[in-house]
Amino acid sequence: MQRTIITREKRERLNGHKGIVLWFTGLPASGKSTIAHEVEKRLYEMGCRTFVFDGDNVRHGLSSDLGFSREDRAENIRRIGEMVKLFVEAGVIAITAFISPFRAERRRVRELLGEKNFIEIYCRCPLEICEQRDIKGNYRRAKTGEIKEFTGISSPYEEPENPDLILDTANSSIEECVDRVVNLLIKRGVLKEVTKLKNTLSQWGEG
């Protein structure tokens, strides 16, 4: 293995925060992508280096050769895990928004990254509300058999047993959900330096 000259710790000092993965999981239309992008916006405003991974920028590129069978879903999550690991080494806050329906695959990513580098966030929302929110009509198409292997209808979703954070996306506002995520990052010490800088700038009237 090539020995790196610039360590993760040095990159984190340069970035002003620690590298970590925020792994959003939940049923289709449970609010994962919306909240993930709003979290990124908040963190960007705080001066953090971030990147959101979702179906739009992974399924159409890195995993364009994969379908939605259980085996392909597992391979998709494996690839994502390896990719976000590199971002964590770069000191980036990597934010993922994938259904990732199976506990085993989510557990493998946690083991790959290590406990301190992985925060599992469960966007909990009843199926009927997810169906109401589904402007693309995918749930309806899944029920008629037009879409195969659709999570929540023809393919199972295994709820996290011990997620680091549960967001009740049926009853909480987006802002409330973002606040809870950011507060957890502060509590974990990921944003310690950024928060200190932001507070200092506010005192100077520059925040």
Side-chain angles (χ1 to χ4, degrees), residues 158-175:
E158 299 174 354
E159 292 189 345
E161 295 178 324
N162 295 294
D164 298 281
L165 182 65
I166 298 176
L167 300 177
D168 181 4
T169 60
N171 300 299
S172 301
S173 68
I174 294 174
E175 185 175 354

Side-chain angles (χ1 to χ4, degrees), residues 18-25 32 35-40 43 50-53 80 84 88 92-98 109 113 116-122 164-165 177-178 180-182 184-186 188 190-191:
K18 294 180 180 178
I20 202 164
V21 171
L22 301 179
W23 190 277
F24 287 88
T25 178
K32 301 180 300 298
I35 296 171
H37 284 282
E38 288 297 325
V39 166
E40 182 182 42
L43 294 175
T50 62
F51 195 84
V52 175
F53 300 86
I80 295 165
V84 297
V88 171
V92 172
I93 299 175
I95 306 168
T96 74
F98 298 94
V109 176
L113 292 163
K116 68 177 183 178
N117 299 315
F118 184 88
I119 294 179
E120 184 179 46
I121 302 171
Y122 175 32
D164 298 281
L165 182 65
C177 291
V178 172
R180 292 195 63 200
V181 174
V182 173
L184 179 58
L185 290 175
I186 294 171
R188 293 281 184 94
V190 176
L191 300 181

Side-chain angles (χ1 to χ4, degrees), residues 52-65:
V52 175
F53 300 86
D54 58 22
D56 288 337
N57 58 22
V58 174
R59 274 287 184 177
H60 299 306
L62 180 69
S63 296
S64 60
D65 59 321

Side-chain angles (χ1 to χ4, degrees), residues 49-179:
R49 297 184 185 275
T50 62
F51 195 84
V52 175
F53 300 86
D54 58 22
D56 288 337
N57 58 22
V58 174
R59 274 287 184 177
H60 299 306
L62 180 69
S63 296
S64 60
D65 59 321
L66 300 177
F68 290 91
S69 66
R70 175 140 193 174
E71 293 75 20
D72 281 0
R73 285 175 182 264
E75 173 59 16
N76 182 48
I77 296 303
R78 187 195 69 79
R79 294 180 187 181
I80 295 165
E82 293 288 351
M83 181 168 55
V84 297
K85 182 180 179 182
L86 298 176
F87 275 70
V88 171
E89 287 298 316
V92 172
I93 299 175
I95 306 168
T96 74
F98 298 94
I99 298 169
S100 50
F102 303 115
R103 295 189 189 106
E105 276 71 53
R106 298 194 300 265
R107 183 172 61 251
R108 289 191 190 101
V109 176
R110 182 186 288 272
E111 291 171 353
L112 173 68
L113 292 163
E115 283 289 336
K116 68 177 183 178
N117 299 315
F118 184 88
I119 294 179
E120 184 179 46
I121 302 171
Y122 175 32
C123 292
R124 185 172 62 192
C125 188
L127 180 62
E128 57 271 19
I129 293 181
C130 291
E131 291 186 63
Q132 293 170 16
R133 291 176 173 174
D134 181 26
I135 59 175
K136 296 180 180 178
N138 288 332
Y139 278 101
R140 175 182 52 78
R141 293 166 62 200
K143 285 184 174 180
T144 61
E146 186 178 346
I147 299 179
K148 307 296 183 182
E149 303 289 341
F150 190 80
T151 304
I153 302 298
S154 51
S155 184
Y157 177 77
E158 299 174 354
E159 292 189 345
E161 295 178 324
N162 295 294
D164 298 281
L165 182 65
I166 298 176
L167 300 177
D168 181 4
T169 60
N171 300 299
S172 301
S173 68
I174 294 174
E175 185 175 354
E176 288 171 336
C177 291
V178 172
D179 286 343

